[in-house]
Amino acid sequence: ALFEFPGKRLLFGIVMLSLMVPTAVTIIPTYLLTAQLGWLNTMQGLVVPGLSSAFGLFLLVQFMRSIPKDMIEAARLDGAGHFHIYWHVVLPLSRNALITLAILTFIQTWGNYMWPLIVSSDTRMYTVGQVVGLFNSPLSHQTVDIVMTANLLAAIPPLLFFLIFQRKIVEGVAMSGSKG
């Protein structure tokens, strides 16, 4: 966001265009890569593909553009290198945006049903969504009250995350759209 280099706008535009690609289109290549890495039926296979997203890049770039360049120039005049500026100036200022991205990523992956179903065939690796799906299957013979209780229990962690970090989410989203 803060460095100038040739092709910066083109690269950012390509990443933003990837937001228009449906997730269903990327499932097969992601699965093949996960299989080649040997991550089927592992926690890495469930977690790592969800850690990066074009939306996350967009959110962080927009937020980091609002960081005053005077702060970076002041650190540079004090003799700080690129990594030192990033670690001691940019990251602390980006805390709200990073927390927002972490919470939104958690909520999105918590409710993801398709990817864990594809990657994990071992019942010990089932996620909460898959277990709730088992309660809803016609062969489970569960009553409606048990199915609804399972759905309620599955909704509690994302709801608690949101309630605890609601202020940080609002600050992070609001600051990512403003120009400081």
Side-chain angles (χ1 to χ4, degrees):
L2 302 175
F3 286 125
E4 293 299 325
F5 59 89
K8 174 182 172 179
R9 287 181 172 220
L10 176 66
L11 183 62
F12 188 67
I14 290 170
V15 171
M16 291 301 101
L17 282 174
S18 72
L19 284 170
M20 296 190 315
V21 176
T23 306
V25 173
T26 63
I27 285 179
I28 293 173
T30 307
Y31 174 80
L32 293 174
L33 180 62
T34 305
Q36 285 178 347
L37 292 172
W39 287 356
L40 297 179
N41 289 320
T42 63
M43 289 302 284
Q44 296 98 321
L46 288 172
V47 175
V48 172
L51 291 180
S52 65
S53 68
F55 171 74
L57 180 70
F58 173 74
L59 181 76
L60 291 177
V61 165
Q62 291 304 108
F63 182 83
M64 288 182 185
R65 283 182 180 167
S66 69
I67 294 175
K69 293 188 181 204
D70 296 341
M71 295 183 79
I72 294 169
E73 290 300 322
R76 194 166 283 133
L77 287 173
D78 287 342
H82 293 301
F83 181 75
H84 192 279
I85 291 171
Y86 176 71
W87 192 258
H88 293 286
V89 177
V90 175
L91 273 183
L93 291 173
S94 303
R95 189 179 76 221
N96 286 343
L98 291 169
I99 289 172
T100 299
L101 181 60
I103 292 167
L104 292 175
T105 302
F106 170 76
I107 290 172
Q108 177 189 6
T109 54
W110 182 267
N112 193 347
Y113 183 75
M114 181 72 79
W115 181 249
L117 191 63
I118 292 170
V119 172
S120 63
S121 59
D122 186 5
T123 55
R124 294 176 293 163
M125 296 298 298
Y126 276 8
T127 61
V128 174
Q130 288 173 300
V131 172
V132 170
L134 289 175
F135 277 111
N136 288 328
S137 76
L139 300 176
S140 71
H141 304 293
Q142 296 295 332
T143 58
V144 173
D145 57 340
I146 292 182
V147 173
M148 293 308 290
T149 303
N151 284 314
L152 176 69
L153 290 175
I156 288 175
L159 182 65
L160 286 177
F161 254 65
F162 178 77
L163 292 175
I164 291 170
F165 296 109
Q166 180 179 7
R167 185 175 58 89
K168 296 288 184 192
I169 291 173
V170 171
E171 288 174 7
V173 171
M175 290 299 293
S176 67
S178 67
K179 189 73 174 162

